[in-house]
Amino acid sequence: MLVVSNSFSASFSEAFDDLVANDDVAVSVTSAWALSPASADAYWNPVVSGLIDWLRPGDRVFLVNDIVMFSPPSKGPGSRLLLQTLRVGLTDF
């Protein structure tokens, strides 16, 4: 399992302990401080894309991110641009 995250992964990493200890699952956690992984080229290339190259069929990718900037009451052109950036990033992924 590949966990792709912004800084939230530090507080969420224990969520995978049982999978590792009891189910023999290998978990790799990668983080980018204060960045939205779907829009940070320096994070996606080469860090995340390099890790994705190691994935095999049946492996999982788990995204852990603070998405408050995408939720209401954010409105207006800036909000639409953020959502479009997220959409493009996830589609590319």
Side-chain angles (χ1 to χ4, degrees):
M1 177 181 292
L2 173 61
V3 180
V4 179
S5 180
N6 58 10
S7 56
F8 274 62
S9 66
S11 64
F12 200 78
S13 61
E14 289 181 3
F16 304 100
D17 287 354
D18 285 345
L19 286 174
V20 173
N22 301 325
D23 297 330
D24 198 30
V25 173
V27 177
S28 295
V29 179
T30 182
S31 303
W33 182 262
L35 293 174
S36 170
S39 63
D41 288 338
Y43 181 59
W44 282 105
N45 299 308
V47 176
V48 174
S49 62
L51 291 168
I52 288 172
D53 289 343
W54 287 92
L55 296 175
R56 298 182 312 240
D59 287 347
R60 304 285 192 258
V61 176
F62 191 80
L63 301 174
V64 179
N65 300 288
D66 172 18
I67 59 170
V68 70
M69 70 182 89
F70 302 110
S71 64
S74 299
K75 297 195 183 332
S79 178
R80 285 192 296 275
L81 179 59
L82 284 172
L83 287 173
Q84 179 62 23
T85 302
L86 178 64
R87 182 178 14 262
V88 168
L90 291 175
T91 300
D92 288 348
F93 178 68

